[in-house]
Amino acid sequence: MLPGAGSLPSVEEVRVLVTGGAGFIGSHVADLIAADGGEPVLLDALLPAAHAAEPGYLGDHRLVRGEVGDPALLAELLRGVDAVCHQAAVVGHGLDPSDAPLYTWHNDHATAVLLAAMHAAGVGRLVLASSMVVYGEGRYACPEHGVVTPAPRRKEDIDAGHFDPRCTTCGSPLTPLLVPEDAQLNPRSTYAATKLAQEHLAGAWARQTGGTVWALRYHNVYGPRMPRDTPYAGVASLFRSALERGEAPTVLEDGRQRRDFVHVTDVARANLLALGTEPPEPITPVNVCSGTPHTVGELATELAAACGGPAPRTVGGARAADVRHVVADPARARRLLGFTAATGFTEGVAAFATAALRTPAGQPG
């Protein structure tokens, strides 16, 4: 077994390499590690799609600017490191298939380089930022056939305003259920495919080396330090950006699509818990979520009210490969990590209305 793959010392004694450490989630993880007495070492490429410059919120954290896919740099940074929190990724739904090389290079090739470097350095514990997108559509039940896998939604149905998936056997409307970690994995976008590939790569590394992995499947994360004014941002940031321009948030479909919105401070706390907890399997996936469904329309309405902006516009349609409902089951994270989301939806959205966002390069402000 690699050094570091067994029990860690207390979190306050840990040196952690945080990839993507200057970013939205990574910087919050670094803050908690430092507040708990640990030593975060931040690695970030500061890609222009996400950063106009080095962020001002990093404080005294040590930041190294560079690529996760640079083996020589990783060899240097991993000396004396106890664990890695791998947050670095190109995120978002993507715009079209021309994004595929960008996603696979930064998300999958770089992850493979990181895992190889961890093996060479004898670092055996990884906390991986995975995502709800590995599930594709959420879990559904048919009144006659029980839990079923819906077929992909058809463009002609979406164009006609029929957004909910139906049972492939009888055509009945389906009831969305909470999605557990053992649900079928069926990524629907390039980004989703790369996140599942990260899990597979990390699992192979763990089984080959004796290392351990927590695969934290983040749901819809929002909060301060999100990037704004970029098509790769999450829906909460897109709505905030529109409201700052004095525009109504644009809601696709009928606004009733269900999601699990979880505040970034809760996500950071889940990472800290994972750093201090031995996983039961070589790779253990857990949902990092609230477990409480809210619709995209609710988010837009609450945020518009909190910002004092115009009411949302619901325009129909859907992005290619978008899914209808994904709300997670939080039971495994509660049982294995002792994690329960603490920030409620109304409280979190109200705070997000005035939270500082991050400006990508090429954007004003």
Side-chain angles (χ1 to χ4, degrees), residues 1-5 78 81-82 116-125 205:
M1 179 176 290
L2 288 174
L78 286 168
V81 160
D82 299 292
M118 289 176 65
H119 175 53
V123 180
R125 182 175 291 249
W205 167 85

Side-chain angles (χ1 to χ4, degrees), residues 240 243 299-310 346-354:
R240 252 290 300 272
L243 288 162
L299 174 66
T301 299
E302 290 258 357
L303 192 55
C307 291
T346 300
E347 168 196 358
V349 172
F352 182 61
T354 57

Side-chain angles (χ1 to χ4, degrees), residues 129-151:
S130 188
S131 172
M132 57 171 267
V133 296
V134 301
Y135 297 120
E137 279 287 357
R139 174 165 286 198
Y140 295 85
C142 169
E144 182 176 351
H145 298 100
V147 174
V148 298
T149 300

Side-chain angles (χ1 to χ4, degrees), residues 172-238:
S172 296
L174 299 175
T175 300
L177 306 174
L178 296 183
V179 184
E181 289 82 356
D182 61 359
Q184 177 181 342
L185 304 180
N186 187 16
R188 300 290 180 89
S189 68
T190 301
Y191 170 61
T194 65
K195 296 308 288 186
L196 183 54
Q198 283 186 322
E199 288 196 19
H200 288 322
L201 289 166
W205 167 85
R207 287 184 288 272
Q208 291 166 354
T209 65
T212 59
V213 183
W214 287 103
L216 303 184
R217 292 176 179 166
Y218 301 159
H219 285 254
N220 287 75
V221 188
Y222 71 99
R225 305 178 190 171
M226 289 186 86
R228 66 176 180 87
D229 296 323
T230 167
Y232 297 95
V235 66
S237 179
L238 295 176

